[in-house]
Structures are given as C-alpha cells and as structure tokens.
C-alpha cells in the first residue's frame, strides 16, 4: 500500500514506523481507520493514551469521570500540575491533541456501568482497560464479549503488574483469570499499598503495544497468557491461561502476588467491621465518656506542629522506615494485638508510650489499623486516644 492515504503531516509523524517492514503503510492505515475506547485516564491509561495517539490511531474515546489530583502526577504522566482539579478525560484529550492534531478524540466524562457499557463501547475496535477496580473490569469484560471485541487489560500494585489480552470467541476472557470478584476491600489498591510511577509507564505502554497489534494484525497479541512483571527484578514471566469450558468447570486463576505490607493494607481495607463496631464508642467521646475518637488531620494539625500530642505509627516496621510522619513513634498493631491476646499489653504501655500517653494520636496507612490499635490501648491505658482518619495519606494531602 502507498502512502497516498496520508497527509504530509501524518507522513512526518509516522515516518519512523512506516519504514518498518512488518508495519508499513498497510498497518498504519489500519491504525488510522481504527477506534479504541480507553477506560480510565489514570496510571495505565495515561501512557497508553499518549502512545496510541502518537501511533496514529484514528479515533480514541477516553472514558473517565474523575478529576486530576496532584498525587496522581507521579504516574499519570498525561496530566500536568496545572491541570489539577480539572477533568481527567479533558486533560488527557488536550495532551493527545497537542501531541497529534490529526487524531479524533472523544471525551466521555462518565463512569462505565452495567447500564451504559455496551452503548459507550459500541463502535470500538478494541478496548484498553486501565480501570483500577474489579467492578469496572467485569463490566468491561461482559461488554467486550457481547460486542466481540478485544479487551486489553492490565493491573499494577507496588512493584508488580499483570497484563493480558482477552477476546471472547478467540481466547480467554477476564473471568477465566478471576472467576469471581474478591470480597470488597480484600485486595489493596494503590492509595493504600502504594505504587511506583514508572511501573505504570512500563505496563501502560505495553498495553498500548498490544492494542496496536490487535488493531493491525501485526505480531502476536498476548492471548492465552498472563504477563507478570516484577519491577524490582525487571523481569516478565508468562503464565498460561485457558479459556473456560462451557460446562462451567473451574478456571485457572493467577492473582497478583501481595507483599507483606500490601497484605497489611489489604487487611486494613477489609476490616470495615472494626470501624462499624467502634463507631458507637467514637460517638461516646463527644458526650464525655471514655473511648476513642476519629479525627481529621486539620483537627490535630496545631497539636502536631506544637508537639503537644504523642504520635504513634502502628504500621509494620518496614512501612514506618520507608516513610512516616515526622516525630512519630512506632509500635506495630501486630505486636499490640499479640500482647493484648496474652493479657500483657498494659505492662508494655510505659515502654512504648512513656510519659506521652496523656494524648495519643494513632495512625496507619488508611485509618483502620489505627482505630483498632487505639481501642486496644484505650482499654488498658489512661489518657485520650485518637485515630487519624485517612491515615498517613491524609497527612500527605495536607503536608
């Protein structure tokens, strides 16, 4: 195929890939005539959107109802500091149009739901799924199967990632990897467990490449396998994944390995019952009764600045050593629990709290472990105990 179908600007934009024998004008034209729907302009969607636009995908639909936050920027490189507070979908569209003015960008500032998924994805030749929650991934999978289009999926956490290409009728689908959704809160997310920004770049860019392959027929898409990437080792491993049988036999599942710190955060997000069971006690403090009160960072900011409140970090030691609120002391919830179970917690209070036990502000990653620790301590120690709502993340937001 000749390059007559391309403008002089497009030829200049794509000349380095047009000369690839495996690509050429034919693949470039296929990309130009294609439509990709990208769910999420976040960590995975950000680099993917940039590379899809740069590669010359003719139409790109961005689906995201969220707004840009400063904490997004270390991994969501399509956005800028100046775009904080603006729509992610619109911010991404602006960046893509600045990169390649020849592509058509559709902006959908809404969340993908069971009710609108088929309509929003209809007409797309492929879906790149950069969502960060199981509910959206299952919705996307069902819609892609219904529309018979490829579903390029990835997930990241900490230093680890997974990626695959699902395509109903041609290979496995997302439900073959995760037959059932995990219990709500049982799997940590980037907000609680953390993620290195460059990892999103590695995986999001790889997802863009897989999308280009399914659009153009160039190369072999990552179907029937799950790519597992360890950022700390810099290695990809590939795990076979079989399509489920129609008789409902149990399917293979290869979940992301969760490190010790991530497991603690998973435990934190899954123990919502702890919060609920203690809410009545927290309310009791307001009426002058002994108990534990959850406080926002702003409520204790002055005391923290003055050093008039004892700050206790109950995360695991390696979490505390990685990053902590300045001036905080450490006593892990796991040790507090163990001592409490043995009836020995009261005897260790002086060693850990010393003379600072009159007012104690307890914090963790998200506010659940700290609430439990504060209640365990308040049962055997004098003084006032507070749990920092939102944990260290709330301090980050106000630092």
């Amino acid at each position: 195929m000749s390059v007559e179908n391309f403008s002089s600007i497009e030829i200049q934009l794509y000349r380095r890939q047009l000369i690839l024998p495996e690509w050429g004008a034919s693949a470039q034209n296929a990309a130009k005539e294609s439509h990709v729907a990208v769910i999420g302009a976040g960590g995975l969607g950000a680099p993917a959107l940039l590379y899809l636009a740069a590669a010359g995908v003719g139409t790109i639909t961005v689906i995201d109802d969220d707004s840009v936050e400063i904490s997004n920027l270390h991994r969501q490189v399509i956005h800028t500091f100046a775009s904080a507070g603006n729509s992610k979908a619109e911010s991404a569209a602006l960046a893509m149009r600045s990169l390649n003015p020849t592509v058509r960008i559709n902006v959908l500032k809404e969340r993908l739901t069971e009710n609108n998924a088929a309509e929003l994805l209809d007409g797309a030749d492929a879906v790149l799924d950069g969502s960060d929650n199981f509910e959206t991934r299952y919705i996307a999978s069902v819609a892609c199967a219904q529309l018979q289009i490829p579903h390029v999926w990835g997930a990241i956490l900490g230093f680890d990632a997974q990626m695959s290409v699902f395509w109903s009728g041609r290979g496995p689908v997302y439900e073959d990897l995760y037959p059932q959704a995990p219990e709500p809160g049982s799997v940590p997310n980037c907000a609680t467990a953390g993620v290195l920004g460059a990892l999103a770049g590695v995986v999001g860019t790889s997802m863009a490449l897989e999308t280009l392959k399914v659009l153009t027929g160039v190369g072999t898409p990552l179907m029937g396998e799950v790519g597992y990437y360890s950022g700390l080792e810099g290695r990809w491993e590939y795990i076979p994944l079989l399509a489920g049988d129609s008789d409902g036999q149990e399917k293979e599942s290869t979940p992301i390995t969760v490190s010790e710190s991530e497991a603690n955060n998973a435990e934190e997000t899954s123990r919502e019952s702890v919060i609920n069971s203690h809410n009545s006690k927290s309310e009791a403090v307001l009426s002058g009764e002994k108990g534990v009160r959850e406080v926002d960072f702003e409520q204790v900011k002055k005391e923290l600045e003055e050093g008039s409140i004892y700050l206790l970090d109950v995360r695991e030691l390696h979490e505390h050593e990685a990053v902590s609120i300045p001036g905080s002391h450490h006593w892990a919830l796991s040790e507090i629990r163990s001592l409490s179970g043995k009836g020995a917690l009261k005897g260790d209070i002086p060693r850990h709290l010393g003379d600072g036990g009159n007012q104690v502000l307890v914090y963790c990653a998200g506010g659940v472990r700290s609430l439990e620790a504060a209640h365990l301590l308040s049962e055997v120690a004098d003084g006032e105990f507070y749990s920092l709502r939102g944990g260290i993340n709330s301090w980050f937001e106000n630092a």
Side-chain angles (χ1 to χ4, degrees), residues 13-43:
L13 284 169
Y14 313 134
R15 59 189 297 183
R16 294 295 187 268
Q17 58 197 44
L18 281 167
I19 62 175
L20 291 169
E22 298 86 353
W23 188 266
S26 178
Q28 191 64 55
N29 190 65
K32 180 177 180 177
E33 295 180 352
S34 295
H35 176 193
V36 175
V38 178
I39 305 171

Side-chain angles (χ1 to χ4, degrees), residues 80-236:
T80 66
F81 192 88
S83 65
N86 296 336
S87 158
K88 281 187 181 180
E90 290 184 343
S91 171
L94 178 63
M96 287 187 286
R97 291 179 181 128
S98 299
L99 181 65
N100 187 347
T102 72
V103 298
R104 178 185 178 188
I105 311 297
N106 300 322
V107 174
L108 298 179
K109 295 186 290 183
E110 52 187 306
R111 178 175 290 273
L112 196 78
T113 67
E114 290 181 351
N115 294 329
N116 67 16
E119 179 183 355
L120 297 186
L121 302 181
D122 189 25
D125 299 297
V127 169
L128 189 149
D129 184 358
S131 60
D132 61 358
N133 63 88
F134 285 96
E135 179 184 7
T136 302
R137 293 165 186 162
Y138 282 107
I139 291 172
S141 178
V142 171
C144 287
Q146 178 183 340
L147 298 169
Q148 290 292 291
I149 54 177
H151 175 203
V152 181
W153 163 82
I156 59 175
L157 188 68
F159 293 93
D160 300 323
Q162 288 184 3
M163 182 183 72
S164 192
V165 176
F166 305 119
W167 202 338
S168 178
R170 303 195 188 191
V173 295
Y174 182 70
E175 289 81 357
D176 293 314
L177 180 62
Y178 290 106
Q180 293 182 335
E183 291 296 321
S186 64
V187 177
N189 56 36
C190 294
T192 55
V195 64
L196 193 65
L199 179 70
V202 171
V203 182
T205 303
S206 298
M207 292 170 69
L209 179 57
E210 292 302 315
T211 303
L212 292 170
K213 286 157 64 176
V214 299
L215 293 176
T216 63
V218 173
T220 304
L222 186 62
M223 292 171 53
E225 291 182 306
V226 176
Y228 172 81
Y229 181 71
S230 169
L232 289 178
E233 297 178 358
R235 293 180 182 276
W236 282 97

